[in-house]
Amino acid sequence: MSAAAAACVSSSAKVAVKPSLSSRSALPSAISVPFNSRSRDIPRRRLILVTCTAGDGAKPTVLVAEKLGEAGVKLLENFTNVDCSYNLTPEELNTKISLCDALIVRSGTKVGREVFESSRGRLKVVGRAGVGIDNVDLSAATEFGCLVVNAPTANTIAAAEHGIALLASMARNVSQADASVKAGEWKRNKYVGVSLVGKTLAVMGFGKVGSEVARRAKGLGMRVIAHDPYAPADRAHAIGVDLVSFDEALGTADFISLHMPLTPATSKMLNDETFAKMKKGVRIVNVARGGVIDEDALVRALDAGIVAQAALDVFTKEPPAKDSKLVQHERVTVTPHLGASTMEAQEGVAIEIAQAVVGALNGELASTAVNAPMVPAEVLAELKPYVVLAEQLGRLAVQLVAGGSGVKNMKVTYASARATDDLDTRLLRAMITKGIIEPISDVYVNLVNADYTAKQRGLRISEERVALDGSPENPLETITVQLGNVESKFASALSESGEVKVQGMVKDGVPHLTKVGSFEVDVSLEGSIILCRQVDQPGMIGTVGRILGESNVNVSFMSVGRIAPRKQAVMAIGVDDMPSKETLKKIGEIPAVEEFVFLKL
């Protein structure tokens, strides 16, 4: 074993493109970004990755700030100088980082803006040995030209196995019975459990870990259902799992196992309202992220008998308070974030993150990159408002999808007077993909990994260009996003061909929504949007505006698109604040309103 390794151990898509149609020319096939493709393979001028080169041929220096497996340390030593320094204070980290080209952390080290500022531009790569990157300031990393990579695959089996261990332990009261016997008691009748055979398990989040949990639960004789808007139905059916809606999963399950990331959309997803929808006596396992559960609401649900038991490996704040009512609850089994804590997983994560960091220092494109690489300033400046538009259209389109079948087909149409060679759509396509996938995914989508991520999730993307006459002064006139083979929670968003369709353009530097389905609208994509399909009649704008005003919800824009006078119309309302459920209910109760949906940007 090398000295550095000993010190570390001992220390505490390819995306398909459809053929061109008449006057519409198909864009070149999307670029697939394999794990080891190098920056020279990317078209010149379109992407610049910062590569670390130490002066005088010296090796770059990697600071390992938390314990890393020996195999990973050895791999790093072959290419870099390794400094293993654990338990650094923030001040010590800020001082040391100016001498380092890369930093590797786990979940215990916060890598904030101060770290990047203190590096004085030398820090080029941050490696997170694990999946979550809550402790890394991605915005600051990108601003300072630092690539952030993680290791999302190596601990999949370990996390799934821990989920099953908690499931079985909870069902048979193993931890409580163990503590009782060690206290000198012998209370067999007190710890009668429940069988797993024949029970329904709802897997919330059918990604890598969730699908592995499902496989193992099937082997235990359980009926498994899953909720995940992006999970391909054929992959679920291949292992005998039915994809269902969120509410159906909650109302049907005897056991619920959580495997979604912590995002604004999933924060406190299990709360008083959702607990009320569950079958009485449900049992909950969480090896994902603590913040997806409202912990106070879970205590109330346990006390009320709605939730019979819970088994938790993660918490909103870690470690939780010693006097936490949830941790101390007699029907709760807890472990200290052990999901990835097996010897095999630790070594696998160490190797995966070491490979990613070394590759990034050598200028390679890593599929596990979680922030955007640097783009030439002149290209970014021109495309900036269109980049925002692209992501917002993606977010709007996916929120209009209903059902559990998942999004599998996306078509993007660019209307432009520019020549094909002068219009680089890779960044725009990446941002649309980001808007569609990121809200409920633990993957951070960017220019590097967008096509790879889409392919992994079975999302087939086609791009098309509509050639316009006129001046090519602006890069684009409109962007249209269509999602095929899906159901919509807002029927008016469906085009004549049955696809969810949204279109937008940039006006005076501000992204605008200009079409929903077949209805023309004009609303700024700022804040959030309420879409209403209504009977076109006098007073509708005033009625809706009054309801919002009475609830202190500020309206930024309002636009109405209609088929013909006194026929159907779609009202698009931009709001600065999120309306309460009561406010939205009042809008839905207006007799002339046929359907409505609230969309958060």
Side-chain angles (χ1 to χ4, degrees):
M1 182 185 303
S2 66
C8 286
V9 173
S10 60
S11 297
S12 14
K14 192 170 183 180
V15 181
V17 178
K18 293 181 181 178
S20 59
L21 300 176
S22 60
S23 64
R24 305 184 175 202
S25 58
L27 294 170
S29 296
I31 298 173
S32 175
V33 186
F35 183 79
N36 287 320
S37 62
R38 296 182 178 270
S39 57
R40 64 172 179 267
D41 297 325
I42 301 300
R44 187 177 57 185
R45 192 180 66 82
R46 295 186 180 180
L47 173 65
I48 297 176
L49 279 179
V50 177
T51 305
C52 173
T53 54
D56 301 325
K59 291 181 178 179
T61 297
V62 177
L63 172 60
V64 180
E66 295 184 66
K67 188 173 181 180
L68 192 69
E70 178 185 349
V73 175
K74 285 184 175 180
L75 193 156
L76 289 171
E77 284 186 313
N78 291 333
F79 302 95
T80 68
N81 296 315
V82 182
D83 177 1
C84 292
S85 298
Y86 303 157
N87 302 315
L88 295 173
T89 65
E91 293 75 18
E92 291 171 336
L93 176 60
N94 291 341
T95 299
K96 187 178 282 288
I97 202 65
S98 64
L99 304 174
C100 302
D101 304 288
L103 170 65
I104 294 179
V105 299
R106 301 188 75 87
S107 60
T109 302
K110 182 174 177 58
V111 187
R113 173 171 290 274
E114 298 80 6
V115 174
F116 299 104
E117 292 175 343
S118 300
S119 75
R120 299 185 181 92
R122 178 165 176 175
L123 184 64
K124 302 304 179 187
V125 184
V126 172
R128 164 65 168 95
V131 179
I133 56 166
D134 307 351
N135 54 319
V136 180
D137 188 333
L138 286 181
S139 297
T142 302
E143 180 182 335
F144 283 86
C146 182
L147 196 66
V148 181
V149 295
N150 67 350
T153 62
N155 59 11
T156 296
I157 298 301
E161 288 177 346
H162 194 60
I164 291 294
L166 287 177
L167 182 76
S169 175
M170 172 181 62
R172 298 303 299 270
N173 300 301
V174 171
S175 63
Q176 294 88 343
D178 172 73
S180 174
V181 173
K182 288 178 177 177
E185 301 174 338
W186 193 259
K187 299 181 177 179
R188 296 178 64 192
N189 292 335
K190 182 177 180 179
Y191 299 111
V192 175
V194 295
S195 177
L196 299 179
V197 173
K199 298 299 193 305
T200 297
L201 170 67
V203 176
M204 309 299 283
F206 200 67
K208 294 183 180 69
V209 177
S211 59
E212 291 297 335
V213 167
R215 292 177 191 276
R216 286 155 178 77
K218 292 287 290 184
L220 294 172
M222 303 186 78
R223 173 182 175 249
V224 181
I225 58 177
H227 171 72
D228 189 327
Y230 298 118
D234 53 353
R235 182 165 66 86
H237 292 158
I239 58 176
V241 175
D242 294 324
L243 292 177
V244 300
S245 67
F246 181 74
D247 286 348
E248 184 178 350
L250 294 182
T252 306
D254 302 299
F255 292 81
I256 295 175
S257 188
L258 303 178
H259 302 286
M260 72 278 286
L262 179 59
T263 69
T266 62
S267 179
K268 294 187 178 181
M269 179 174 281
L270 296 195
N271 49 45
D272 288 314
E273 181 180 350
T274 50
F275 284 130
K277 297 178 180 180
M278 296 179 187
K279 180 188 295 187
K280 187 171 183 180
V282 68
R283 290 170 168 83
I284 297 173
V285 176
N286 187 12
V287 294
R289 286 289 183 268
V292 301
I293 298 179
D294 182 333
E295 294 179 350
D296 292 335
L298 177 55
V299 171
R300 290 190 288 271
L302 285 160
D303 291 341
I306 296 173
V307 177
Q309 292 177 290
L312 310 173
D313 184 50
V314 288
F315 305 88
T316 301
K317 181 181 178 182
E318 295 184 356
K322 293 182 179 179
D323 60 351
S324 166
K325 292 182 180 179
L326 182 61
V327 172
Q328 299 299 331
H329 203 287
E330 64 177 354
R331 287 185 281 116
V332 175
T333 300
V334 294
T335 53
H337 205 146
L338 298 178
S341 296
T342 67
M343 291 185 291
E344 295 82 358
Q346 295 298 300
E347 286 299 295
V349 166
I351 293 172
E352 186 175 5
I353 198 61
Q355 289 176 334
V357 168
V358 169
L361 288 174
N362 288 332
E364 296 177 359
L365 293 175
S367 63
T368 59
V370 295
N371 68 330
M374 296 195 64
V375 176
E378 66 275 11
V379 175
L380 185 58
E382 183 179 53
L383 288 181
K384 185 176 180 179
Y386 300 94
V387 166
V388 176
L389 172 64
E391 182 177 356
Q392 299 290 50
L393 288 176
R395 288 182 179 273
L396 284 177
V398 77
Q399 289 183 70
L400 290 167
V401 174
S405 59
V407 179
K408 297 180 182 178
N409 295 288
M410 177 174 77
K411 177 182 176 182
V412 184
T413 303
Y414 309 98
S416 173
R418 291 259 179 110
T420 302
D421 292 342
D422 291 334
L423 181 62
D424 180 5
T425 63
R426 291 198 324 127
L427 182 56
L428 300 174
R429 181 178 69 244
M431 297 308 291
I432 296 171
T433 304
K434 176 185 178 76
I436 287 178
I437 292 178
E438 249 190 25
I440 62 168
S441 171
D442 57 1
V443 174
Y444 293 82
V445 181
N446 57 60
L447 182 56
V448 176
N449 67 358
D451 293 340
Y452 174 86
T453 302
K455 181 179 179 181
Q456 290 295 102
R457 279 155 178 73
L459 176 60
R460 183 180 177 88
I461 303 174
S462 64
E463 292 183 289
E464 199 170 65
R465 181 173 173 272
V466 178
L468 301 177
D469 295 329
S471 171
E473 179 180 353
N474 295 321
L476 285 166
E477 182 67 22
T478 63
I479 300 176
T480 304
V481 177
Q482 294 172 265
L483 304 180
N485 301 319
V486 295
E487 298 176 3
S488 177
K489 63 177 67 172
F490 187 69
S492 300
L494 295 175
S495 65
E496 294 178 357
S497 56
E499 300 170 311
V500 168
K501 179 180 179 180
V502 291
Q503 184 181 92
M505 66 186 303
V506 173
K507 296 183 177 181
D508 298 322
V510 179
H512 279 243
L513 177 67
T514 56
K515 181 176 283 190
V516 177
S518 301
F519 291 87
E520 303 281 348
V521 296
D522 186 7
V523 60
S524 172
L525 289 176
E526 299 174 309
S528 298
I529 294 176
I530 301 172
L531 295 177
C532 297
R533 185 182 71 192
Q534 63 189 58
V535 176
D536 184 34
Q537 64 183 40
M540 287 300 300
I541 293 177
T543 301
V544 174
R546 177 181 55 78
I547 292 173
L548 293 172
E550 290 174 350
S551 301
N552 199 32
V553 176
N554 194 48
V555 175
S556 57
F557 286 92
M558 186 175 286
S559 171
V560 177
R562 60 186 186 179
I563 298 174
R566 306 284 179 166
K567 301 293 184 180
Q568 283 188 330
V570 166
M571 183 190 305
I573 309 160
V575 293
D576 294 332
D577 317 288
M578 182 171 180
S580 66
K581 294 179 181 178
E582 291 75 17
T583 300
L584 293 174
K585 183 179 179 182
K586 289 179 181 178
I587 293 175
E589 290 174 346
I590 298 173
V593 171
E594 298 175 342
E595 62 171 345
F596 77 98
V597 64
F598 173 74
L599 305 172
K600 189 173 183 179
L601 297 176

